[in-house]
Amino acid sequence: HVQLVESGGGSVQAGGSLRLSCTASGFTIDEPDMGWYRQAPGNECELVSTISSDRSTFYSQSVMGRFTISQDTAKNTMYLQMNSLKPEDGGAYYCVAAADPGLALPPRVSGPCYTWTSGYWGQGTQVTVS
């Protein structure tokens, strides 16, 4: 049974930092492409960062240089270190794992993130930056 559980969200002042965690069960995190998406109220689900099975990483232009994605295979956990946070970084953050090895994550999802049904999604964690 595949499950992703996020944690680490919260409220922080602009310029602060948070680290999100996504602990997986039912699969090994270094097999599929995985990533983080963000969705603010009224906005589409946008890709923030990905880490591929070959360990290559991608960052959206808006977070490049401030966010770092990583994995700890011993803990089967993926992280998103977020520094120099801005109010526009706020929203619900979701981790996702592609359902099939080699399947790429989309740049955005129209509607709620979970409507992209080719991946396994966590329940989301809220980030508020004021």
Side-chain angles (χ1 to χ4, degrees):
H1 176 65
V2 173
Q3 189 175 23
L4 297 173
V5 178
E6 297 113 332
S7 62
S11 296
V12 65
Q13 291 187 334
S17 298
L18 285 172
R19 189 178 78 158
L20 306 184
S21 300
C22 173
T23 299
S25 57
F27 70 99
T28 304
I29 61 169
D30 60 356
E31 292 181 353
D33 286 7
M34 295 189 66
W36 291 94
Y37 285 74
R38 172 174 68 205
Q39 188 158 35
N43 291 0
E44 63 182 5
C45 175
E46 62 172 337
L47 180 63
V48 174
S49 180
T50 65
I51 183 165
S52 301
S53 55
D54 64 0
R55 308 271 71 76
S56 59
T57 59
F58 166 84
Y59 298 94
S60 69
Q61 194 68 29
S62 65
V63 307
M64 194 174 297
R66 300 186 296 121
F67 290 13
T68 304
I69 192 170
S70 63
Q71 292 178 327
D72 183 337
T73 54
K75 297 182 179 179
N76 218 36
T77 298
M78 177 178 68
Y79 301 99
L80 185 67
Q81 178 66 44
M82 306 186 296
N83 298 330
S84 302
L85 283 161
K86 304 175 182 180
E88 53 264 40
D89 293 321
Y93 281 71
Y94 299 90
C95 67
V96 65
D100 295 306
L103 180 65
L105 301 178
R108 64 189 60 81
V109 180
S110 298
C113 293
Y114 63 82
T115 58
W116 187 69
T117 57
S118 297
Y120 300 104
W121 294 90
Q123 83 285 359
T125 186
Q126 187 69 34
V127 171
T128 303
V129 185
S130 58

